[in-house]
Amino acid sequence: MSLRPTVEFLLYQWLHAQTLPERERFADHSRDTFDAVLDTCERIAREKYAPFNRTVDTQEPHFDGEKVTLPQCTHDAQKAYAASGMLSAAQDYDIGGMQLPYTVEAAANSFFAVASISMGSGLLTVGNANLLMVHGTEAQKKVFALNEFSGRFSGTMCLSEPQAGSSLSDVATRAVPDGEGFESDPLGPRYRLKGNKMWISAGEHELTENIIHLVLAKIPGPDGKLVPGTKGISLFIVPKKLVDTDGQLTGVRNDVALAGLNHKLGWRGTTNTLLNFGEGKYPVDGEAGAVGYLVGQAGKGLHCMFHMMNEARIGIGMAATMLGLAGYYASLDYARNRPQGRPVQGPKDKDAAAAAVVKDVAQPQVRIIEHADVKRMLLAQKSYGEGALALNLFCARLVDEQATGDSAAADEARLLLEVLTPIAKSWPSEWCLEANSLAIQIHGGYGYTRDFPVEQYWRDNRLNMIHEGTHGIQAMDLLGRKVLMENGRGLSLLAARINGTIERAIQVPALAAHANALGSALQQVGAATKAAWSTGQPADALANAVPYMQAFGHTVLAWVWLDVALATLHADAALAQPASVGRMGAMRFFFHYELPKIGAWLQVVSTRDATCAVFPEDAF
């Protein structure tokens, strides 16, 4: 099964991306140019990524004490990706970009993700450069961001530390002014950083000429002490190799040293590192301390970094989605070809209760896709994966609306994106992981072996519930901040969108029952939101933030599926087409098997159940 037809339907029949060239920014484009981009990315993914997915899993990055070695296929893939122009696809023409809609860019990148997610395709590099284009100086944009967009440099984000994973308040990396006149360096106020950063993806390699680290650190106060909390955090550009104002290497290695590689369950094709900043291994001008250039204002680093973090969260949601779909395609192919078992028949002896279910062993075996339970597992994967893809592309469409819509539409898109970002990251990372588990189940005992790819997809995907903020962090962000921000206007805007779909669907006999079910779910989410906050105590509300997010996410996905179903009915005159039957069946499955789950989740939210919160430690 090919991803392309699904992508094209969502892009053109559902999101109407072909109308984006009516906007000035995209006026030079058309569906033909969009399709050409999809063609190119699909080809590169097929030739440079997919054949080597197992290679990068088994030939992990190797550190010999001086440099990291990656398999040649990773070098070839990175080179091909950079040459395609996708690193700067959405950027302005005058800096070498294509001015593509982000919706099309996201769709095109899906081919790389489904082919081999752990080889990487520039997620962090693009996010790093995009942050600098918003918050950097003109010199920082020219020297660092543009070289990242060209593929000459690559980028990272350095937040976590060994003693402070997600708790950024406890960041201990220090940045002190680098001598007299530090504030007048042409690349930005110049500091010396000392500290350690853990779990840094792509933190060391030989794929590019330079690596640009974006590092969170604290500038000590006059008393030499670090400011507690997140307000004291600043953001710095710390290149692996120092450069001049034209972006050329000076020949000086910055004081950034690889302490070691982390060996993760999955994503083994990407180096994951512990980096030491300023330990003195590579002293600059005879002095220990990594040279870094301040981005934005001192003490405002987390505000800047959220630009990259939110972009990365949506990117991780897409990664999880594509791993779910990769497993779906593999298990579908297996189910269509694996013979096992025979059809269930009625009893020959109607008076024998024990004979209620019989099989005629003389009949030939059937393929396992003919069994109802296997179809259940395939439908679950399809509903999770294709639904998550639709959600992620919808979020990408909101990015384009925010950038090119009128002021009212842009502001609405901004707020909708704020509310949906925790869902776009976490829902696929939970349910597309479940899809991968089902793919293993369909393969039976073979699913646990390396003879088939589904065990690798599961391992790769298990990381995504932690990547870019854990499930619990996203849930607290959703219930504790996003649904409350601007007096709940974001939640109201989303509810209005959902109600708009319900009003259209309720007029269609085949969809009316589903529309009513979605309306009931939306009411339950709204009531639970109010009940959770009825005491005004964050501890009461947030004790069950994850069940709230699960219910919220399922409601959003039900809305997405209902809207996709409307587009299917509108676009396909002949609904007997397999693709149309598939979409409608996946929609029905989600409403019948998944949406009813929200009642149990919201029960503990609405009652502010304290079972978990008050459970004593010594009782475990």
Side-chain angles (χ1 to χ4, degrees), residues 499-523:
N499 280 320
T501 298
I502 291 171
E503 289 172 6
R504 289 186 293 127
I506 209 165
Q507 307 299 320
V508 181
L511 300 178
H514 304 309
N516 284 323
L518 179 57
S520 174
L522 182 60
Q523 289 178 344

Side-chain angles (χ1 to χ4, degrees), residues 5-201:
T6 301
V7 167
E8 289 190 345
F9 177 86
L10 294 174
L11 272 184
Y12 301 127
Q13 302 298 331
W14 184 51
L15 295 174
H16 306 293
Q18 69 275 18
T19 65
L20 286 170
E22 296 171 7
R23 303 186 178 196
E24 181 179 357
R25 178 168 181 80
F26 311 126
D28 292 337
H29 292 294
S30 65
R31 175 165 178 173
D32 288 341
T33 61
F34 296 162
D35 285 343
V37 171
L38 299 181
D39 290 341
T40 297
C41 293
E42 189 175 23
R43 175 183 57 78
I44 296 172
R46 182 175 61 249
E47 295 175 356
K48 300 293 185 180
Y49 285 72
F52 306 105
N53 191 45
R54 179 63 77 187
T55 302
V56 298
D57 186 60
T58 56
Q59 297 180 23
E60 293 187 62
H62 173 69
F63 179 44
D64 63 6
E66 293 297 327
K67 69 176 184 178
V68 170
T69 300
L70 292 165
Q72 183 60 42
C73 60
T74 304
H75 291 260
D76 295 340
Q78 194 278 335
K79 183 177 179 180
Y81 186 80
S84 74
M86 287 302 293
L87 287 166
S88 59
Q91 299 303 312
D92 295 347
Y93 291 132
D94 60 8
I95 64 168
M98 292 189 274
Q99 288 190 196
L100 272 180
Y102 181 63
T103 311
V104 177
E105 178 187 358
N109 277 325
S110 70
F111 295 111
F112 299 103
V114 79
S116 181
I117 190 62
S118 74
M119 288 180 82
S121 53
L123 170 66
L124 292 177
T125 295
V126 172
N128 181 308
N130 284 342
L131 181 154
L132 293 176
M133 293 300 291
V134 174
H135 297 288
T137 65
E138 290 304 314
Q140 290 171 346
K141 295 175 189 177
K142 172 189 170 186
V143 171
F144 300 111
L146 297 194
N147 279 307
E148 290 181 275
F149 285 137
S150 73
R152 185 171 163 238
F153 297 170
S154 58
T156 73
M157 57 190 301
C158 300
L159 290 77
S160 297
E161 298 181 3
Q163 85 294 339
S166 300
S167 181
L168 296 180
S169 297
D170 298 314
V171 162
T173 299
R174 302 167 66 94
V176 298
D178 187 24
E180 188 176 348
F182 77 96
E183 70 280 357
S184 59
D185 192 293
L187 294 180
R190 179 172 159 141
Y191 286 74
R192 292 285 187 137
L193 279 72
K194 293 184 179 181
N196 315 102
K197 295 293 182 178
M198 176 65 97
W199 312 119
I200 309 306
S201 295

